[in-house]
């Protein structure tokens, strides 16, 4: 089936926000006497904040009566830090313009709350490129469940077989593949060597390295 549609993740792919999420999440967990290693943090990237908090509260046996407040605090801190410090990842304008020139429908599907998505879209000045935006915020399940990608494809009037997804996290990659879509993975430099990315259809070190040749390979 001919590829006609591209759907992008947001955090860590279009905007360098993972350090901000890590700072916000780690800061809140430290209030409970818990310190995450970088490896622990990276193992849960791509999850929604409620699932992220639930995972680590369960892992460290923390009292879950504090979970709701912790979720709200992480999301608010992350929004503030990203708004202040967040920078576009290399190649964002290039890749969006590339797919516009290919006459692809373009979507964004993120685990983040919609208010944060809207802030980032406006901060990066990319709203004019996007034909659809979906958030997993209020879905029954977030990534690695494929629903947020399936919902975005539906809004774009595309079947899964027509879609390429760009992701940076393992949970996001699993969501894209579970949706039966092609997946291009752009992992963080520190974890690019890991064998788990072999489940993707293509691995890149930057959005800047995707072009007509790579698109033809995926067709």
């Amino acid at each position: 089936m001919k590829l006609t549609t591209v759907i992008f993740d947001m955090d860590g792919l279009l905007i360098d926000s993972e350090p901000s999420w890590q700072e916000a999440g780690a800061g809140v967990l430290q209030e409970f006497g818990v310190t995450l290693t970088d490896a622990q943090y990276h193992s849960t990237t791509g999850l929604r904040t409620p699932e992220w908090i639930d995972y680590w509260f369960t892992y460290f046996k923390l009292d879950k009566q504090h979970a709701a407040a912790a979720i709200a605090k992480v999301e608010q801190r992350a929004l503030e830090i990203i708004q202040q410090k967040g920078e576009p990842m290399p190649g964002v304008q290039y890749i969006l313009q590339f797919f516009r020139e290919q006459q692809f429908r373009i979507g964004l599907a993120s685990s983040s709350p919609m208010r944060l998505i809207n802030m980032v879209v406006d901060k990066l000045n990319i709203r004019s490129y996007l034909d659809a935006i979906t958030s997993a915020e209020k879905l029954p399940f977030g990534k690695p469940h494929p629903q947020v990608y399936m919902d975005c494809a539906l809004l774009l009037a595309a079947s899964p077989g027509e879609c390429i997804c760009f992701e940076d996290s393992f949970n996001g990659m699993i969501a894209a593949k579970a949706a039966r879509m092609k997946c291009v993975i752009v992992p963080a430099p520190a974890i690019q060597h890991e064998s788990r990315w072999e489940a993707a259809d293509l691995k890149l070190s930057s959005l800047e390295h995707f072009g007509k040749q790579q698109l033809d390979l995926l067709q």
Side-chain angles (χ1 to χ4, degrees):
M1 186 176 291
K2 182 176 174 60
L3 296 170
T4 63
T5 305
V6 62
I7 305 175
F8 293 94
D9 174 50
M10 185 182 76
D11 289 294
L13 182 80
L14 300 183
I15 189 165
D16 187 14
S17 55
E18 286 302 340
S20 301
W21 279 107
Q22 186 170 4
E23 180 181 341
V28 171
L29 287 182
Q30 283 172 354
E31 295 175 10
F32 296 90
V34 166
T35 300
L36 290 184
T37 66
D38 286 345
Q40 285 175 320
Y41 178 79
H42 286 303
S43 72
T44 50
T45 55
L47 296 182
R48 296 179 296 186
T49 310
E51 291 152 344
W52 191 87
I53 286 291
D54 183 70
Y55 181 91
W56 291 117
F57 268 49
T58 300
Y59 184 88
F60 290 109
K61 299 179 173 59
L62 303 177
D63 188 345
K64 291 190 179 179
Q65 71 172 343
H66 302 298
I71 292 164
K73 191 175 289 187
V74 169
E75 290 184 345
Q76 183 59 35
R77 284 187 183 177
L79 188 149
E80 291 169 358
I81 298 168
I82 294 166
Q83 193 164 32
Q84 180 182 3
K85 300 181 182 179
E87 295 291 337
M89 297 296 282
V92 171
Q93 293 291 334
Y94 157 76
I95 198 71
L96 291 169
Q97 186 61 34
F98 170 82
F99 278 109
R100 172 173 278 180
E101 290 171 359
Q102 304 301 313
Q103 298 184 316
F104 268 53
R105 290 164 287 195
I106 302 175
L108 187 155
S110 174
S111 297
S112 287
M114 190 57 80
R115 66 190 181 114
L116 192 146
I117 294 173
N118 283 325
M119 182 273 287
V120 169
V121 166
D122 291 336
K123 181 180 178 70
L124 298 182
N125 194 27
I126 60 173
R127 192 173 295 276
S128 63
Y129 288 102
L130 301 175
D131 301 305
I133 298 173
T134 55
S135 166
E137 178 182 14
K138 296 182 179 179
L139 295 179
F141 303 100
K143 298 174 185 178
H145 194 282
Q147 191 65 54
V148 69
Y149 277 119
M150 295 166 66
D151 288 354
C152 196
L154 186 64
L155 288 176
L156 293 165
S159 67
E162 295 177 276
C163 298
I164 310 171
C165 298
F166 279 74
E167 268 287 351
D168 71 300
S169 75
F170 182 74
N171 286 308
M173 177 184 71
I174 296 303
K177 296 305 293 180
R180 297 179 292 113
M181 300 175 181
K182 298 284 188 181
C183 183
V184 177
I185 193 76
V186 189
I191 54 176
Q192 280 183 9
H193 65 283
E194 295 180 2
S195 61
R196 57 181 172 160
W197 309 122
E198 292 173 7
D201 297 280
L202 180 65
K203 182 178 76 169
L204 300 174
S205 59
S206 170
L207 294 171
E208 296 173 306
H209 298 156
F210 189 92
K212 192 66 169 61
Q213 181 180 1
Q214 288 72 28
L215 180 59
D216 289 343
L217 285 172
L218 294 172
Q219 295 281 11

